[in-house]
Amino acid sequence: MFSIQQNIEELRKTIDGNIKIIAVSKTKSEQEIMELYNCGQRIFGENKVQELLSKYKNLPKDIEWHLIGHLQTNKVKDVVSFVSLIHSVDSPKLLGEIDKEAKKQNKIVNCLLQIYISDDETKYGFEKIFLEELLKSEMLEELKNVKILGLMGIATNTDDEQQIKKEFKQLKLLFEQTKNNYFAHSEEFKELSIGMSGDYKIAIKQGSTMIRIGSLIFGERNYF
Ligand SMILES: *Cc1c(COP(=O)(O)O)cnc(C)c1O
């Protein structure tokens, strides 16, 4: 028997309470989101701006909306006013654009830098070498309206658990290095967003602080 309530309760039982669950509600209806909301869930993740906007408009205002999918620069202005965290900042240009819009709207926007860690060719993210470049540059100092809370990654879509573990481990290492080298005096740089329905247990062992869970809570997605 499938039930959103049972699924979330099962999941909560198996993980440490300090780890945040981002309920990935893409393609799911507002009714399904409300069902989970009524189980106490307040953090929801969407990967498409259009869908995020309409759900934000129609659903309770105490929901924390996280954007987890690729963000085009021309859509930045639509999300800056209300989004709680953007997991998917994948270029310096996008980061600059978010800062610019945030400044206009008198906001500080929380961001994670998405790092490319997988073998899959379609996934967005910073190559590690460009991350280093960004961190070394003066740019970060100048961006006063974005706050970088940590790193995000998506592992290769594979059954090979050793490979997934290796990718997460490398990202955790990069996270530690980045923290030590560039955010040593920041209390804010502390989030590592890794782990989805298929690999969250591996991710947690490697130090995840935020897991992004869709199908395990809501059931398989149907794309029409
Ligand atoms: C869809 C999606 C998820 C959740 O995937 P599930 O396998 O359904 O848990 C997590 N992260 C991102 C970036 C996604 O696009």
Side-chain angles (χ1 to χ4, degrees):
M1 244 303 282
F2 160 78
S3 138
I4 287 176
Q5 183 176 355
Q6 277 170 9
N7 292 347
I8 189 69
E9 283 172 3
E10 267 317 299
L11 181 62
R12 284 176 184 152
K13 258 189 264 168
T14 62
I15 67 167
D16 183 318
N18 293 325
I19 295 168
K20 292 191 194 77
I21 300 171
I22 318 306
V24 177
S25 47
K26 62 191 187 196
T27 77
K28 298 298 171 180
S29 68
E30 290 170 4
Q31 192 185 340
E32 287 166 301
I33 294 176
M34 281 313 293
E35 201 176 326
L36 187 57
Y37 178 92
N38 289 328
C39 301
Q41 179 72 27
R42 290 295 180 272
I43 311 179
F44 290 84
E46 289 285 336
N47 70 333
K48 292 210 166 74
V49 170
Q50 226 35 55
E51 196 173 337
L52 174 63
L53 289 175
S54 82
K55 286 174 175 171
Y56 164 70
K57 200 171 81 189
N58 296 333
L59 291 168
K61 288 296 172 280
D62 64 341
I63 290 180
E64 259 187 49
W65 291 103
H66 290 200
L67 182 67
I68 60 170
H70 179 64
L71 176 58
Q72 289 172 286
T73 49
N74 63 352
K75 300 226 168 106
V76 167
K77 62 176 181 312
D78 299 331
V79 298
V80 155
S81 65
F82 71 92
V83 80
S84 293
L85 179 62
I86 302 175
H87 290 236
S88 44
V89 176
D90 54 12
S91 72
K93 180 170 171 242
L94 178 59
L95 191 65
E97 198 61 32
I98 295 170
D99 182 73
K100 198 172 95 189
E101 250 333 297
K103 190 176 222 154
K104 265 194 219 160
Q105 300 189 24
N106 202 17
K107 293 265 173 192
I108 306 280
V109 176
N110 295 325
C111 297
L112 303 178
L113 302 176
Q114 180 176 353
I115 311 300
Y116 183 84
I117 57 171
S118 83
D119 277 351
D120 298 350
E121 298 212 331
T122 54
K123 305 259 161 86
Y124 293 101
F126 275 95
E127 297 284 350
K128 286 172 197 155
I129 174 157
F130 294 126
L131 174 70
E132 188 75 19
E133 251 172 48
L134 168 71
L135 293 169
K136 274 191 191 143
S137 73
E138 314 274 276
M139 182 178 172
L140 276 191
E141 288 290 298
E142 289 161 20
L143 303 182
K144 306 285 189 216
N145 293 69
V146 291
K147 205 186 277 178
I148 296 175
L149 302 190
L151 304 180
M152 180 273 225
I154 304 173
T156 302
N157 187 5
T158 172
D159 291 333
D160 182 350
E161 296 201 349
Q162 285 310 313
Q163 176 169 358
I164 295 170
K165 180 177 164 190
K166 193 182 85 193
E167 291 170 359
F168 285 156
K169 212 187 184 87
Q170 283 173 354
L171 186 58
K172 167 72 171 174
L173 187 66
L174 184 67
F175 171 83
E176 294 297 343
Q177 289 168 344
T178 306
K179 184 167 177 58
N180 292 336
N181 294 339
Y182 301 99
F183 294 94
H185 304 293
S186 150
E187 313 232 306
E188 285 147 1
F189 191 89
K190 57 176 198 275
E191 305 290 356
L192 184 59
S193 169
I194 50 174
M196 317 189 353
S197 293
D199 58 19
Y200 75 94
K201 288 182 179 154
I202 308 173
I204 287 173
K205 284 203 185 112
Q206 298 308 319
S208 175
T209 66
M210 292 183 163
I211 54 176
R212 309 178 309 270
I213 307 291
S215 42
L216 201 65
I217 299 174
F218 289 107
E220 290 302 318
R221 281 178 294 278
N222 296 314
Y223 291 98
F224 296 103

